[in-house]
Amino acid sequence: AQSVSQHNHHVILSEAASLELGCNYSYGGTVNLFWYVQYPGQHLQLLLKYFSGDPLVKGIKGFEAEFIKSKFSFNLRKPSVQWSDTAEYFCAVGYGGATNKLIFGTGTLLAVQP
Amino acid sequence: GAVVSQHPSWVICKSGTSVKIECRSLDFQATTMFWYRQFPKQSLMLMATSNEGSKATYEQGVEKDKFLINHASLTLSTLTVTSAHPEDSSFYICSALGRGTSTEAFFGQGTRLTVV
């Protein structure tokens, strides 16, 4: 069965530290890749997405992610986090070209200390 | 971005009763809505996909007679958990895909269901 793994369940960083959250998926065919963020008490919001083209994708709020097909990975990065980045981050994969029928990872809770 | 609203945000019900959760797209017409369930410390799991005016498509292992989905209009889909039991306690989230919008679905804030 297709699956999505997020390696870090809980990450604590100080402001200005660099962030990298891992995401791996199990399927070798066509995939669409997403990172969502959920701020406390708010809806899930799309951070960035990859369908095709340049494997380095830039999203909102200074986030970026790199698709490495050989590693089945789509890691999320930000060079310098802020306290306002405290949130839960979900990686999601659409298999077989599906753009919105998604399989989600378990989420990573990021706490940024001021 | 577009707004999707779920109601209620949380609900407690007695075992054996039914609960209805609404998902509304407030500022766009949603041709497709998705219902997810999230158990504590687990992923969001897709339960079903509903298209306006047609029957929902359920994922494997999801009981369609227990989780009734209605998508009667372009702005409203409902999920009814029938004869709820404590094991149905979970976080239910909907997302909506707009007409002409093929790359992003917008999520509701979720509904916390507790069955006692």
Side-chain angles (χ1 to χ4, degrees):
Chain A
Q2 298 107 342
S3 64
V4 179
S5 299
Q6 290 183 241
H7 318 300
N8 317 101
H9 296 295
H10 198 178
V11 173
I12 302 174
L13 295 173
S14 298
E15 277 196 313
S18 64
L19 170 72
E20 179 159 5
L21 301 182
C23 174
N24 286 87
Y25 59 93
S26 63
Y27 182 64
T30 302
V31 293
N32 295 311
L33 302 161
F34 304 80
W35 274 98
Y36 285 89
V37 60
Q38 188 168 29
Y39 298 102
Q42 296 189 27
H43 303 199
L44 276 169
Q45 299 174 38
L46 182 66
L47 262 184
L48 48 79
K49 60 190 177 187
Y50 172 82
F51 288 170
S52 63
D54 189 343
L56 184 61
V57 179
K58 294 193 184 298
I60 60 172
K61 305 186 180 185
F63 286 91
E64 64 178 31
E66 185 175 12
F67 170 49
I68 303 180
K69 189 174 182 180
S70 61
K71 294 185 178 179
F72 301 97
S73 71
F74 189 55
N75 291 357
L76 180 71
R77 299 193 293 248
K78 185 171 184 177
S80 176
V81 295
Q82 300 171 320
W83 176 79
S84 58
D85 293 323
T86 295
E88 190 158 18
Y89 293 80
F90 293 92
C91 179
V93 179
Y95 287 92
T99 56
N100 286 287
K101 188 173 179 178
L102 303 175
I103 295 178
F104 281 82
T106 50
T108 297
L109 196 57
L110 171 66
V112 180
Q113 297 175 329
Chain B
V3 179
V4 175
S5 177
Q6 277 183 246
H7 178 80
S9 298
W10 61 273
V11 58
I12 301 173
C13 71
K14 290 185 178 181
S15 187
T17 62
S18 295
V19 174
K20 181 185 282 187
I21 302 170
E22 294 184 346
C23 178
R24 293 182 184 272
S25 56
L26 298 185
D27 51 3
F28 67 102
Q29 293 183 326
T31 51
T32 304
M33 287 186 172
F34 302 87
W35 286 96
Y36 295 84
R37 179 171 54 186
Q38 185 180 28
F39 292 108
K41 299 184 180 180
Q42 295 187 27
S43 301
L44 278 75
M45 301 297 294
L46 181 65
M47 299 174 66
T49 303
S50 74
N51 292 296
E52 185 264 339
S54 62
K55 289 185 178 180
T57 302
Y58 290 80
E59 295 300 303
Q60 193 173 10
V62 178
E63 300 175 59
K64 62 180 181 181
D65 294 331
K66 180 169 185 63
F67 299 99
L68 301 179
I69 291 172
N70 184 281
H71 191 165
S73 78
L74 285 171
T75 59
L76 174 64
S77 176
T78 60
L79 168 68
T80 302
V81 183
T82 62
S83 187
H85 291 286
E87 57 265 31
D88 298 323
S89 298
S90 187
F91 194 55
Y92 293 87
I93 304 174
C94 72
S95 70
L97 186 63
R99 190 197 297 271
T101 302
S102 62
T103 61
E104 181 178 353
F106 298 94
F107 285 81
Q109 76 274 30
T111 297
R112 173 78 58 195
L113 170 64
T114 301
V115 184
V116 297

